[in-house]
Amino acid sequence: MSSARVLRGGVVIGFLLGLVVAALTPEVGMATNADDSHAGELLGTVFLSSAIPVANCPTPGTSLAVVQGSKVDFPQYPLLLVTSCFSTKASQSSILYFLNPATGTVVKTISTFKGSKAYAPGTGWTELVHAPDQGVLLGCGSNGELYKIDYSVFTSTADGTLVAVPRPAAATSCSGLTWDANAKLVYQSTGSAIYSFGMNGTLAGSFPAPAGCTVSGLSVLGGVLMVACDGPAAVRRLDKTTGAPVADHQTVTFLSSSPLSDIECDPVTFANVNVDAVWVKIVTTNVLQAFRLPGGTCGLPPTTTVFAPAACPDGATYRRTVGTISDVPRDTDGDGLWDCWEDPARWPDNLPGIDFDGDGVRDLVLCIGTECADPNIKDIFVEIDYMGPGTTHTQGHLPDPVALDNVRAAFADAPVDLPSGIRLHFLVNDAIPHSDLLALQPCTGPPGTGDADFDQIKTTWFGTAAERANPKTILAKRYAFRYMVFGHNLVGVANSGCSEIPGDDSAITLAGFGPTAPTDPYYQRGSTDQQAGTVMHELGHNLGLRHGGGDNINCKPNYLSVMNYSRQLPDFLTNRPLDYSRGLLPTLSETSGLSETLGIGTLSSFPFLNGDKTVYSAANTLTMLVRPLGSVCDPVTGTCVPGRCWSATRTPTSTVRVSSGSSFSMRNGTG
């Protein structure tokens, strides 16, 4: 870490709910005519010949993956494309290029290596895939060699480090590669056959490629294995376990005149228009192209094979055209819940809900009690399960209702769609078995014997007992509700919680916080304020916020948000607002000269600062200091005492201490 930091004030959040769309996309069954007619349309093209100098890439490779930009320290890019080249020189074939899908520009490169030398199997990486729950890329060569590739800035391992992954003896080549995060299985193809196996190399299953297909790309989506062939641009949809064609849409034709190599699902880049995309490598023209699929495809639940999950009916009431992209689902209030889900008039009992499989029957009523979704007001639905009493913790971890009410009030007070704000709906549901340790990979390590596993908890407990009795209801609910588990501690770390970013899942683990007396009712549960701050913090991650707002720099004095560790818990500011950032404060650069007079901004420009405080450290120390901002007024007497705006120190060359805390690479997540 350099001694001088440039601290940007963080994105203007004021509850940045536009991010909900990217974080929470839907599901449906038999496709509507609109989903059928537009599937496979071209959405975007990246020209690699202009992005990667031919001197560095003499032969276009076949590999492609998609990763979050934040994982390679570029959080300004929600998603990056990853590709590589073929070459007889390891110095060229080992380079992974990370590209902005909007412009096609290379924003970062990483060289893969074994020992101290650049390495890629054979003449280069033939296939790449992101394993988000493992925090790595997987890559294979034409000779079948398979490796984990470290690429994330959130690990202590050097970027590009290779670790060999064992594979079945029959997997002697690699023309297709994908990762099933639900089943924890690798799928690898030799072209004529497809093998699935665990990270230890144990074979789980195999089946031949479809008739007339030489496999050139694989992708697992829920219960579907999508297979690209070295020929016509029709992608096959197979049952991922048996290899048989699925009943609903056995093929999808991509509007490409060239064969497809590698295929990767992208729920992010076109989320603003509520459609998903599949990126492919077109080797003959050296381009990457995105083709349209129905919204929610990339997030299919583990065994689901429907083509268009939770699709809206055709027609102008529930669909619209955005630019050149036609018939996309409407979301009037921009909360990620489509209008056809939130419209009560769609159903005879005047209650909103989701028809998961397109059979005309509502599978989920989108209400908690009498509080229902509204197409004109931003809604967020969260189901909470909590660990009940255990032998080591007799209180259990039932959420404090006052804490949840405080978070609800904070969202309602958001300066969004005034005067509506945001309606946050909590369903506190089941008491689940207690375990001292909870695994949420890769934020944590894998669960040990007796430890709880978040994914298994969700599989078992998500939904009410009545909802779990109807599989289609649970499938529909996965598209509308986030899931939060109040647990004890996380495996291997002392965090207060961890979350997908953006995403749907989060854990609240406050056993190491709050009162220390075993007789206190909040012992190992966290106080009311600690629970409220942590719930809001982790929910902010689900909505796409990071510890610095739009970046990963934590504890910035010019980012006044509960996402900032100095403001999540009441450790330094006992009366700090329960809020996200209400304004973009000026950038602070130690090398550009900090001003005691200007500090972090004037009250005329940022009136919300008045009466607030910020936390910073003394020069070259970790001693935390607190300074009021603007005037601090006594609510009884009305007397106001001028505060003082922050600056790092009186000399611009001093060190701003940024708490390292602990950064964890969740499957799209952090602590």
Side-chain angles (χ1 to χ4, degrees):
M1 182 183 298
S2 64
S3 60
R5 302 299 297 260
V6 176
L7 304 182
R8 293 173 176 83
V11 293
V12 180
I13 305 308
F15 296 76
L16 190 62
L17 253 287
L19 290 167
V20 175
V21 177
L24 192 67
T25 47
E27 288 206 5
V28 182
M30 300 304 291
T32 61
N33 291 333
D35 291 311
D36 281 325
S37 61
H38 296 295
E41 289 180 344
L42 181 64
L43 294 174
T45 300
V46 170
F47 297 93
L48 295 176
S49 57
S50 59
I52 305 173
V54 68
N56 299 336
C57 186
T59 304
T62 54
S63 67
L64 176 63
V66 296
V67 301
Q68 275 189 301
S70 63
K71 298 303 176 65
V72 289
D73 214 19
F74 285 90
Q76 62 269 43
Y77 303 113
L79 181 140
L80 294 173
L81 306 174
V82 190
T83 191
S84 61
C85 303
F86 289 148
S87 175
T88 56
K89 298 178 180 179
S91 59
Q92 294 176 333
S93 63
S94 65
I95 299 176
L96 303 181
Y97 296 91
F98 294 76
L99 302 99
N100 177 3
T103 63
T105 56
V106 175
V107 300
K108 184 170 183 172
T109 60
I110 291 175
S111 293
T112 57
F113 64 91
K114 285 203 303 185
S116 59
K117 295 183 178 180
Y119 181 81
T123 56
W125 300 105
T126 58
E127 301 283 324
L128 293 169
V129 67
H130 186 213
D133 59 321
Q134 304 297 306
V136 297
L137 287 165
L138 295 174
C140 61
S142 59
N143 59 1
E145 289 183 26
L146 179 64
Y147 294 92
K148 296 179 185 177
I149 306 171
D150 188 278
Y151 76 99
S152 173
V153 297
F154 294 111
T155 69
S156 58
T157 305
D159 291 346
T161 299
L162 298 179
V163 176
V165 177
R167 65 191 191 280
T172 55
S173 62
C174 186
S175 65
L177 183 71
T178 192
W179 168 251
D180 184 351
N182 294 301
K184 311 299 181 189
L185 292 176
V186 177
Y187 283 76
Q188 183 172 330
S189 177
T190 60
S192 60
I194 300 169
Y195 302 90
S196 60
F197 53 94
M199 282 288 197
N200 60 1
T202 301
L203 183 67
S206 66
F207 42 81
C213 172
T214 299
V215 177
S216 58
L218 299 173
S219 185
V220 167
L221 307 175
V224 176
L225 178 66
M226 293 185 65
V227 181
C229 304
D230 188 14
V235 175
R236 319 293 179 93
R237 299 179 76 245
L238 310 180
D239 182 289
K240 70 179 182 182
T241 302
T242 66
V246 300
D248 186 2
H249 289 73
Q250 297 181 4
T251 62
V252 180
T253 300
F254 290 1
L255 299 184
S256 170
S257 58
S258 302
L260 314 175
S261 296
D262 217 336
I263 49 177
E264 303 292 340
C265 210
D266 170 11
V268 174
T269 302
F270 302 94
N272 64 317
V273 293
N274 297 321
V275 298
D276 287 356
V278 168
W279 286 93
V280 300
K281 186 79 172 280
I282 311 291
V283 176
T284 54
T285 53
N286 196 22
V287 299
L288 305 177
Q289 290 190 313
F291 296 95
R292 176 173 170 176
L293 287 179
T297 299
C298 298
L300 280 174
T303 60
T304 308
T305 60
V306 298
F307 175 63
C312 290
D314 290 348
T317 300
Y318 297 127
R319 292 182 180 263
R320 64 186 181 126
T321 295
V322 181
T324 60
I325 306 177
S326 302
D327 295 320
V328 301
R330 284 186 182 273
D331 180 12
T332 298
D333 55 15
D335 60 1
L337 303 172
W338 297 347
D339 283 7
C340 70
W341 304 351
E342 295 189 287
D343 183 5
R346 186 179 172 192
W347 306 103
D349 60 5
N350 208 40
L351 295 176
I354 298 176
D355 172 9
F356 175 76
D357 59 357
D359 63 357
V361 177
R362 183 183 56 200
D363 298 306
L364 174 73
V365 176
L366 202 46
C367 302
I368 296 178
T370 59
E371 295 182 0
C372 297
D374 187 311
N376 298 304
I377 299 175
K378 287 182 169 65
D379 293 284
I380 299 175
F381 289 86
V382 182
E383 178 182 323
I384 297 175
D385 287 338
Y386 59 94
M387 291 185 179
T391 55
T392 59
H393 190 245
T394 58
Q395 290 96 332
H397 295 279
L398 177 67
D400 183 343
V402 176
L404 299 184
D405 284 343
N406 290 344
V407 178
R408 266 192 291 255
F411 272 77
D413 189 48
V416 173
D417 295 346
L418 296 176
S420 300
I422 300 164
R423 297 194 309 183
L424 178 58
H425 311 268
F426 285 120
L427 171 64
V428 179
N429 193 31
D430 289 309
I432 62 178
H434 192 278
S435 177
D436 285 352
L437 295 175
L438 172 64
L440 184 56
Q441 293 178 269
C443 178
T444 72
T449 302
D451 295 343
D453 180 79
F454 187 98
D455 292 332
Q456 187 57 51
I457 289 173
K458 187 171 185 178
T459 298
T460 305
W461 293 98
F462 181 63
T464 65
E467 290 168 344
R468 291 193 293 268
N470 185 339
K472 289 199 295 185
T473 297
I474 292 299
L475 295 175
K477 190 168 186 176
R478 280 178 173 262
Y479 281 89
F481 276 71
R482 290 176 166 80
Y483 187 57
M484 182 175 287
V485 172
F486 271 64
H488 196 76
N489 276 326
L490 293 171
V491 170
V493 295
N495 281 33
S496 59
C498 201
S499 303
E500 291 182 328
I501 176 170
D504 304 337
D505 298 338
S506 59
I508 309 297
T509 49
L510 290 164
F513 299 78
T516 57
T519 57
D520 192 297
Y522 291 98
Y523 170 63
Q524 293 190 328
R525 291 175 55 206
S527 66
T528 298
D529 200 0
Q530 288 171 332
Q531 288 190 34
T534 303
V535 167
M536 193 158 174
H537 179 98
E538 301 304 338
L539 192 52
H541 282 317
N542 280 172
L543 300 178
L545 302 179
R546 295 173 171 82
H547 292 139
D551 58 47
N552 296 317
I553 301 175
N554 208 339
C555 296
K556 295 188 296 187
N558 57 334
Y559 180 49
L560 307 184
S561 167
V562 74
M563 301 308 299
N564 183 332
Y565 273 6
S566 70
R567 302 173 74 88
Q568 175 195 339
L569 303 177
D571 295 339
F572 306 111
L573 302 174
T574 55
N575 294 314
R576 59 92 177 85
L578 191 64
D579 203 354
Y580 298 133
S581 171
R582 298 242 170 180
L584 181 63
L585 298 181
T587 296
L588 304 176
S589 175
E590 292 183 332
T591 58
S592 299
L594 293 171
S595 168
E596 280 290 326
T597 303
L598 295 178
I600 62 172
T602 62
L603 292 180
S604 59
S605 299
F606 308 103
F608 58 85
L609 293 178
N610 197 29
D612 204 343
K613 299 177 182 178
T614 192
V615 178
Y616 68 102
S617 68
N620 303 312
T621 76
L622 291 178
T623 302
M624 304 306 292
L625 303 175
V626 176
R627 285 288 183 268
L629 304 171
S631 300
V632 182
C633 300
D634 187 301
V636 177
T637 66
T639 302
C640 297
V641 179
R644 170 183 158 189
C645 290
W646 177 89
S647 63
T649 63
R650 296 184 182 279
T651 56
T653 58
S654 64
T655 300
V656 175
R657 296 288 181 176
V658 179
S659 171
S660 60
S662 296
S663 294
F664 298 96
S665 177
M666 264 295 303
R667 58 270 179 99
N668 305 341
T670 188

